[in-house]
Amino acid sequence: MRVANKAVFSHETGFGRLRQSSPVRTRFILINTSHAGNVGAAARALKVMGLDDLVLVAPRWPDVLTRAETIQRASGALDVLEKARIVATLDEAVEGMTWLCATAMTPRDFGPPTVTPREHFAQLAQEPHNVAFLFGSERFGMANEDVYRCHVALTIPTDPAYGSLNLAAAIQVIAYEWRIAQGGFKVCDAVPLRELADAGAVAGMLEHLGRSLVDIGFLDPAAPKKLMPRLNQLFNRAQLSPEEIHILRGVAKAMSAAAIRTKR
C-alpha cells in the first residue's frame, strides 16, 4: 500500500502513536447523486453494517435527505439520514480523511492502482487510516479528476459479461467487505440452545421402546441382534431433549396399547 507521506505515520515523530490510539473513522461519500431512492438505500446499507457517516456532494435534490422516496427506501435507517451531511465540494467531504478509495468499474489509464475490496481491505483494516469510500453519480460514475486524487480504485469483481451494479448495491458490497475485514459481527442463532436429555433418560426411553417393539412383534427378544444398540447410536446422534424423550415414550406406550387391543 502506498502512503503519500511516510513520516506522518512514523514512530520517530510520535504522531503515529497518537493516531493508533484514536478511533478509526469510516465515511461514505456520494458525489452528484441523482436518485433520492439510492440515498435512502445507501443509508440502509450502511446501518446494517454498523456504519453511519454519510456525506453527499452536490446531490441533484437539495432536500434529498428528507424526500419521501429517500425515507421510504431507508427502511428504518432514519438515524443515518439525520446524521448525514450535504456539502458543496469534494474537498469538504474528505476533510479529516487520510485514505481515499475511489470506486470504478473501469481502470483509468492514469491514476491509482485498481484493486478488489477484499484484497485491499485485508491490509487497510490493520492501519490507522480514516477511510473514505467515494462513489460517483449513477449515470456517469466518478470523474477522472476525483479518481486521481484517491489512493486506490476499488473494483467489485463481477461477471465480465454484465458488470452493472446499482449504486446502493455497490455500497452494500463495499460496506460488507469493510466490516468483515474489521472482524464482522457475531451471527446469533435464532433458536436458543436447548437442554439435552441425560444418558439415564435416553437409556430409560430405549428400554421402554424395546418392550414396545417386542409387543408389536418387531423385535424378537430371543434374537435381538444389534437393533437396540443401533437405535441407541441413532438417538445419541439426534441429541434428544427431555421433551423429545417424553414424546418417544408416549409413542412406545401407544404402540404397546395398540398391540394389546389387537390381541383381544
Side-chain angles (χ1 to χ4, degrees), residues 51-179:
L51 303 165
D52 62 3
D53 192 346
L54 177 64
V55 178
L56 309 179
V57 179
R60 177 185 179 187
W61 308 100
D63 63 343
V64 67
L65 295 175
T66 57
R67 291 179 72 87
E69 185 181 358
T70 305
I71 294 173
Q72 181 182 22
R73 292 287 300 280
S75 190
L78 299 183
D79 54 333
V80 178
L81 292 179
E82 291 170 358
K83 185 179 177 181
R85 296 183 293 121
I86 295 178
V87 297
T89 66
L90 184 56
D91 285 333
E92 296 172 84
V94 300
E95 184 177 357
M97 298 293 103
T98 59
W99 194 262
L100 308 183
C101 299
T103 52
M105 294 301 296
T106 304
R108 302 314 201 258
D109 293 333
F110 173 80
T114 299
V115 294
T116 64
R118 186 165 299 182
E119 66 176 312
H120 185 60
F121 293 171
Q123 181 179 351
L124 183 59
Q126 307 303 316
E127 301 190 2
H129 288 299
N130 290 331
V131 182
F133 300 110
L134 282 62
F135 297 82
S137 69
E138 294 91 333
R139 187 174 179 184
F140 300 109
M142 287 189 65
N144 285 339
E145 56 267 27
D146 293 337
V147 174
Y148 295 158
R149 68 185 298 176
C150 295
H151 297 84
V152 297
L154 301 176
T155 184
I156 298 171
T158 59
D159 186 336
Y162 187 73
S164 177
L165 270 176
N166 170 266
L167 174 60
I171 291 171
Q172 186 70 82
V173 172
I174 297 295
Y176 169 79
E177 292 287 353
W178 181 235
R179 176 55 65 193

Side-chain angles (χ1 to χ4, degrees), residues 3 6 12 16 62 107 112 120 144 159 178 200 214 239 248 255 258:
V3 177
K6 294 183 179 179
E12 288 77 5
H120 185 60
N144 285 339
D159 186 336
W178 181 235
V214 171
Q239 300 185 64
L248 288 170
M255 288 164 56

